[in-house]
Amino acid sequence: MARSQTEPLISPTGLGAEVETWLSVIDEMPVGVTVVEPGSEFPWHNKAARRILGLGEAPAWPPPAEPATYGAVHADGRPYALEDYPLTRVLQGGGSVERELMRYRRADGQVLMLEISASKVRPHGRQLGFCTYQDVTAEHAARRELAETAERVQLALDAGAILGTWVWNVAENVMTTDELFAHFFGLDPERCRNGLPPSEAMVSVHPDDHPGVEAAVAEAIARGGAYRHQYRVLQPDGNWRWVEGSGRVELDEAGRPLRFPGVLLDISAWKQAEEARDLLTREVDHRARNALAMVQSVVRLTDAQDPARFREEVVGRVDAMARAQGTLSRSNWEGGVLGELVEGELSTYAAAPRFALHGPKLALPAAQVQAISMIMHEMATNAVKHGALSTPDGKVEVAWHADRRRNVELTWTESGGPALQPPKRQGFGSRLIARLAAQLGGALDLDWRPEGLVARLVWRA
């Protein structure tokens, strides 16, 4: 026989005449209460329980023929087995449950977080299961968010990204900070915990950054809201370190500043990268201007009486400059390697068997790359036109060495070419390599031997 909507879910028989009063009082309690009698098909819920669980005024448990669309669920969404419910565990195993968290899915699909306590009671010698619970969904979410925030802060602290935190009571002009902040500013950690004037922290700020910090703080206090500013702080080792202060000014209803909490972030690496980028930009601009000036000189000074020869020489020299710029670009404008520069120019005009290179791996600064490349280009083109590379059997050997002071001596030796005689006049190519050698702070000696040119270039790398 089906139970009616108004029939008590717990029979008062044997509980005494006061049971209806007892249930009426529980029904008005502000916390959810569930009472169940062992062996009973239906538990009893008070008004708060029905509201929390979304049960309305209908019987609290559906008839066995109807599948439950609501009930406790695990974190992965699986429904609780009947024996997993706190109240079932108490009735079957004894003991009690205190403030256990349980996810509950209502019939409308909303999932709540309930805090449950359960125990056995024996009114008038009759055993009942008694369970109280509250909806702590919002509190649980807030605690979880707070824990996740704390975890992120701790990770940032562990990684060294956060250098400290502060809270400034603006009305009383007292700042409290954590120990990291105190150490970073060279302050007494105990005084920082108990509170000190913010002006004491300003002592460690770079003098050039004082006005900017004071202006940014004053602006944030005047308008309220977000604050962010970058400045340098003196460290115990005497170095300056870049930081970013980030916080928020809280105002009262009248617009007066109350609190100013914030964090100190380490941006030294970012600043170094920014400075390196700016330096690189200036270096690229400088190199580009030099390259353009060199191109103008090449075009202006190259003999233009023979248009075909003029075009060939100008294009060759511009190509050599482009190869030098490519070498600098690949090294992030930090320099180049001598052997690679020499090989790059010779391989443009001759197959590998026709030249030999001997020398250690020697890094060159960026300022020398273009000059060395152009000198090697002029030597190679001269060998192709008049020297060893103008005949099938001619060869070029390039050797270099450097002492501990990085004084470099490079020797260019040609063999197997036509018999040479010293040139009667100095052409543009000869004038160019002499000027480039002087630009290196070195010197170039050309020995026009009949069996082949021997050139010695000395400079300091």
Side-chain angles (χ1 to χ4, degrees):
M1 179 177 177
R3 192 185 300 269
S4 71
Q5 293 272 348
T6 57
E7 184 179 352
L9 299 178
I10 296 179
S11 171
T13 305
L15 292 179
E18 68 275 14
V19 67
E20 291 186 9
T21 302
W22 182 66
L23 293 176
S24 296
V25 171
I26 294 176
D27 204 30
E28 299 300 325
M29 289 178 65
V31 297
V33 178
T34 295
V35 181
V36 66
E37 184 177 13
S40 173
E41 184 179 318
F42 294 96
W44 178 86
H45 298 295
N46 71 347
K47 291 178 182 178
R50 295 195 296 272
R51 184 184 70 254
I52 293 171
L53 303 180
L55 300 176
E57 298 300 325
W61 216 258
E66 297 182 14
T69 59
Y70 49 88
V73 292
H74 293 280
D76 60 4
R78 292 179 298 107
Y80 271 38
L82 182 60
E83 58 270 18
D84 293 336
Y85 278 83
L87 198 52
T88 306
R89 301 201 317 264
V90 165
L91 288 173
Q92 293 181 349
S96 62
V97 172
E98 295 184 8
R99 303 182 67 180
E100 180 178 304
L101 293 177
M102 183 181 77
R103 288 178 175 81
Y104 186 90
R105 182 174 58 223
R106 294 164 36 122
D108 60 8
Q110 183 181 0
V111 177
L112 309 177
M113 184 64 71
L114 305 180
E115 186 178 80
I116 297 176
S117 296
S119 61
K120 289 180 182 179
V121 295
R122 294 180 178 273
H124 299 278
R126 190 169 182 179
Q127 180 175 277
L128 297 173
F130 190 85
C131 177
T132 64
Y133 44 89
Q134 299 185 70
D135 180 3
V136 294
T137 306
E139 293 85 343
H140 177 73
R143 285 197 299 269
R144 183 178 62 186
E145 182 178 357
L146 182 62
E148 291 175 350
T149 300
E151 184 180 22
R152 288 193 293 269
V153 170
Q154 188 59 52
L155 288 172
L157 288 170
D158 292 343
I162 293 181
L163 298 171
T165 63
W166 79 82
V167 177
W168 179 6
N169 184 327
V170 182
E172 299 179 6
N173 197 34
V174 174
M175 175 187 285
T176 57
T177 80
D178 60 14
E179 191 170 346
L180 285 174
F181 186 102
H183 287 313
F184 189 78
F185 278 85
L187 302 171
D188 179 17
E190 184 66 25
R191 292 200 65 230
C192 285
R193 280 192 295 270
N194 296 330
L196 74 170
S199 58
E200 292 193 22
M202 289 292 292
V203 173
S204 298
V205 175
H206 196 289
D208 293 345
D209 298 338
H210 262 269
V213 174
E214 292 173 348
V217 169
E219 180 189 359
I221 289 177
R223 58 171 167 73
Y227 157 83
R228 181 171 293 177
H229 193 69
Q230 299 174 1
Y231 51 95
R232 288 163 288 180
V233 177
L234 182 64
Q235 297 299 284
D237 60 6
N239 292 319
W240 294 97
R241 199 166 173 184
W242 276 99
V243 300
E244 181 177 83
S246 182
R248 180 171 293 276
V249 178
E250 301 172 2
L251 306 178
D252 63 12
E253 295 180 355
R256 294 184 295 264
L258 293 176
R259 297 174 71 252
F260 186 176
V263 299
L264 200 66
L265 304 176
D266 183 0
I267 62 169
S268 298
W270 179 77
K271 275 292 184 180
Q272 290 172 357
E274 186 180 60
E275 291 171 0
R277 182 199 64 196
D278 293 342
L279 179 62
L280 178 60
T281 301
R282 292 193 296 271
E283 180 69 16
V284 170
D285 180 66
H286 174 68
R287 297 296 169 196
R289 291 177 183 272
N290 283 350
L292 288 174
M294 180 66 74
V295 169
Q296 290 176 338
S297 297
V298 166
V299 173
R300 185 173 63 253
L301 299 176
T302 301
D303 188 353
Q305 293 183 4
D306 184 340
R309 181 179 176 183
F310 173 81
R311 178 182 181 280
E312 178 185 355
E313 291 183 355
V314 168
V315 169
R317 286 163 179 156
V318 171
D319 284 346
M321 284 186 282
R323 286 191 290 273
Q325 297 299 309
T327 297
L328 288 170
S329 177
R330 287 190 296 274
S331 69
N332 204 27
W333 298 87
E334 293 181 357
V337 178
L338 177 58
E340 295 176 2
L341 295 177
V342 177
E343 183 178 13
E345 290 305 319
L346 279 170
S347 62
T348 304
Y349 300 99
R354 300 197 63 189
F355 62 87
L357 309 180
H358 308 285
K361 184 174 182 179
L362 181 64
L364 299 177
Q368 296 184 358
V369 168
Q370 183 167 283
I372 294 295
S373 295
M374 291 296 294
I375 290 174
M376 291 298 102
H377 168 75
E378 294 299 324
M379 299 293 294
T381 55
N382 184 73
V384 169
K385 294 177 181 178
H386 312 291
L389 299 182
S390 66
T391 61
D393 299 326
K395 294 183 179 181
V396 174
E397 181 179 356
V398 183
W400 63 90
H401 65 272
D403 62 19
R404 293 182 178 179
R405 296 184 178 181
R406 294 182 62 82
N407 293 309
V408 185
E409 180 175 337
L410 181 146
T411 304
W412 173 289
T413 304
E414 298 183 21
S415 62
L420 292 182
Q421 293 182 352
K424 295 180 180 180
R425 66 181 183 88
Q426 190 180 40
F428 172 70
S430 298
R431 296 196 303 272
L432 177 61
I433 58 177
R435 190 175 75 176
L436 290 170
Q439 180 181 314
L440 292 170
L444 178 66
D445 176 61
L446 300 177
D447 185 1
W448 301 92
R449 301 177 182 179
E451 63 271 20
L453 172 65
V454 176
R456 287 184 178 87
L457 173 66
V458 294
W459 79 99
R460 188 168 185 173

